[in-house]
Amino acid sequence: MNLKIMMVFGTRPEAIKMAPLARLLQNRSDIDLHICSTGQHREMLASVIKAFDLQIDEDLDVMTRDQTLNGLSQALLGKLDHSYHQNQPDIVLVHGDTTTSFIASLAAFHRHIPVAHIEAGLRTGDLQSPWPEEANRRLTAVLANLHFPPTEKAKLNLLAEGVCDHCILVTGNTVIDALLWMNERLDQTNWQPAPQSPLASIDPARKMILITGHRRESLGHGFEEICHALDTLAQRYPDIQFVYPVHMNPRVHDVVYRMLGHRENIILTAPQDYRHFVWLMKNAYLIMTDSGGIQEEAPALGKPVLVLRNVTERPSGRLQDRAMLVGTNPDKIIAQTTRLIEDAAYYREFTTRHSPFGDGRACERILERLLAWKQSQSLDECA
Ligand SMILES: CC(=O)N[C@@H]1[C@@H](OP(=O)(O)OP(=O)(O)OC[C@H]2O[C@@H](n3ccc(=O)[nH]c3=O)[C@H](O)[C@@H]2O)O[C@H](CO)[C@@H](O)[C@@H]1O
């Protein structure tokens, strides 16, 4: 009998991180994979599905305008319950720390369906930051039967919360599998953006700084500070190109376009699909971001990354990276960027390729563990 796996995700980062696993599972004759999208980030998710050549089996389409987290949770719980009833999966795979991950785990728990949690064990230790993700990932850990932390540090977090060792497998982060897959495709075809793409105006002879930012905790004042720092830097270094694919959240979009839309060497674009975005990362001199995924991807490409957050659940383990955690304080952003632009020896300290978050084989390890789990069916001892 084939193993019936249901994969549930809803946001762009979850989709990117689940995509290489979906590709692997789809090619197995001993596995029936059902991919369920909750539609938490509808448009941005569609572009990921296309970039990885995947097909969604079911779209719950739960998002409505101005939905609260409770409204979203309620809609998800009902629709997932129905889907589990219809599809009767042997196991549900969830990822990370979204409302989708937690509610998909809860709905599975209520139906006595085992849950495997990918990117398990990330913690800041502060339930309010990031909010609501820290709660989502802790609650998911309570409900999951198999835990796939990306690093040993994340495994220790799970052990400290009482998760049994036998149910944990350190795999590396699947985002590195996704990144290496896409990177290889770009290299093989020497891929370049099409002439009509806003990225085509980037001059390869000039330095380019890539920026992303959308964290809830920075909305409002935090974003104004980030934009203020970028504006100052863009004036100070007119020869450097600043490229900022702006998140669709109007509370991010409106501030960024109002404060930076007029500067000639700042290119504001819509969010880019994964192929374009990996190309941007490869060609960047420096990346500034509050994104979790990009913090993981940048070192694998040997790119320095300035983290626009005060705390991170993704410590790289390198001492010098502490200086890169600058938050939204404009003075710190400007000072650290200036040093990285002007001090070549200092810049080089951050450009060695290293991959503290994974080696690109996370999906293989997850597959092997799922097959072993199916054979032994020994979950009872961990549930
Ligand atoms: C607290 C925290 O850290 N939470 C994380 C956060 O995820 P994140 O911060 O990693 O999210 P993003 O920055 O949106 O995505 C990043 C991915 O997107 C690619 N990318 C980016 C811009 C673009 O224009 N085109 C792209 O393709 C990029 O290469 C990368 O792979 O929220 C998720 C729940 O929503 C959580 O699960 C996740 O823990």
Side-chain angles (χ1 to χ4, degrees):
M1 275 253 290
N2 277 5
L3 176 62
K4 285 179 75 176
I5 298 181
M6 183 147 160
M7 186 180 263
V8 188
F9 53 72
T11 64
R12 171 178 67 190
E14 283 173 291
I16 291 173
K17 290 173 169 186
M18 288 293 228
L21 183 59
R23 288 181 60 85
L24 188 66
L25 299 180
Q26 256 177 358
N27 286 331
R28 299 280 309 198
S29 56
D30 50 354
I31 289 176
D32 293 335
L33 177 67
H34 181 89
I35 302 181
C36 173
S37 156
T38 61
Q40 222 183 306
H41 284 171
R42 198 176 296 115
E43 292 88 3
M44 294 204 291
L45 201 110
S47 83
V48 178
I49 299 304
K50 194 164 160 245
F52 285 91
D53 206 10
L54 287 171
Q55 271 185 346
I56 297 283
D57 297 297
E58 186 178 15
D59 184 356
L60 301 183
D61 199 18
V62 287
M63 268 325 250
T64 56
R65 226 182 130 71
D66 298 327
Q67 200 168 29
T68 62
L69 285 177
N70 285 332
L72 172 63
S73 305
Q74 187 187 20
L76 274 173
L77 204 52
K79 289 202 172 185
L80 282 165
D81 186 55
H82 180 71
S83 174
Y84 293 162
H85 178 63
Q86 294 268 304
N87 294 295
Q88 302 284 325
D90 297 319
I91 191 160
V92 169
L93 305 192
V94 299
H95 181 277
D97 52 23
T98 61
T99 304
T100 290
S101 338
F102 165 49
I103 300 297
S105 308
L106 182 63
F109 174 75
H110 286 158
R111 283 202 170 264
H112 302 285
I113 301 168
V115 171
H117 186 199
I118 292 145
E119 200 185 79
L122 270 55
R123 300 287 183 269
T124 58
D126 178 356
L127 213 48
Q128 298 302 322
S129 180
W131 181 94
E133 286 94 338
E134 178 78 3
N136 285 338
R137 54 199 176 205
R138 285 202 221 175
L139 292 162
T140 304
V142 173
L143 298 167
N145 305 72
L146 287 175
H147 307 254
F148 295 117
T151 60
E152 288 294 336
K153 171 83 181 72
K155 174 177 176 175
L156 290 176
N157 292 336
L158 292 168
L159 290 173
E161 288 170 16
V163 176
C164 81
D165 200 352
H166 172 67
C167 306
I168 307 176
L169 176 70
V170 177
T171 59
N173 200 307
T174 56
V175 80
I176 305 301
D177 301 36
L179 177 70
L180 298 183
W181 183 85
M182 186 56 82
N183 195 25
E184 201 179 300
R185 254 133 218 91
L186 295 185
D187 284 348
Q188 275 168 359
T189 54
N190 190 22
W191 187 89
Q192 299 295 324
Q196 63 273 24
S197 158
L199 309 192
S201 67
I202 297 170
D203 176 358
R206 289 162 62 192
K207 285 193 177 91
M208 185 261 284
I209 295 184
L210 173 64
I211 303 119
T212 79
H214 65 274
R215 299 253 18 105
R216 269 199 196 84
E217 56 270 28
S218 304
L219 290 178
H221 184 59
F223 265 99
E224 293 190 355
E225 289 198 311
I226 293 170
C227 290
H228 173 64
L230 290 172
D231 197 32
T232 306
L233 287 163
Q235 286 182 71
R236 187 178 292 175
Y237 298 105
D239 206 39
I240 294 183
Q241 308 160 98
F242 294 78
V243 180
Y244 189 163
V246 186
H247 202 266
M248 292 189 289
N249 181 340
R251 293 178 66 194
V252 177
H253 184 274
D254 295 355
V255 177
V256 174
Y257 273 82
R258 173 170 50 81
M259 292 185 67
L260 303 175
H262 61 286
R263 214 34 81 222
E264 214 186 311
N265 56 333
I266 299 186
I267 303 173
L268 302 179
T269 72
Q272 295 296 302
D273 72 22
Y274 195 56
R275 185 184 307 273
H276 287 78
F277 197 75
V278 172
W279 182 87
L280 277 170
M281 288 195 286
K282 276 163 78 81
N283 287 285
Y285 176 79
L286 165 69
I287 302 173
M288 296 184 182
T289 190
D290 61 8
S291 158
I294 299 168
Q295 283 178 63
E296 293 157 342
E297 291 164 325
L301 294 172
K303 299 293 170 178
V305 59
L306 212 62
V307 182
L308 307 172
R309 288 165 63 165
N310 297 321
V311 280
T312 180
E313 61 282 84
R314 296 167 166 95
S316 73
R318 289 200 318 179
L319 266 186
Q320 69 261 46
D321 286 340
R322 289 228 187 147
M324 302 297 258
L325 204 60
V326 291
T328 59
N329 179 324
D331 296 336
K332 280 195 191 167
I333 298 173
I334 294 169
Q336 187 65 359
T337 308
T338 302
R339 187 159 180 208
L340 287 160
I341 293 171
E342 295 189 359
D343 184 343
Y346 184 63
Y347 176 78
R348 271 198 303 278
E349 282 183 36
F350 296 92
T351 54
T352 359
R353 268 184 199 232
H354 65 301
S355 218
F357 303 107
D359 61 1
R361 295 187 47 226
C363 297
E364 284 170 38
R365 295 185 184 102
I366 293 169
L367 168 65
E368 272 169 36
R369 183 67 180 94
L370 289 173
L371 292 174
W373 168 78
K374 188 195 174 217
Q375 256 192 346
S376 70
Q377 295 286 310
S378 64
L379 269 181
D380 284 354
E381 59 194 82
C382 305

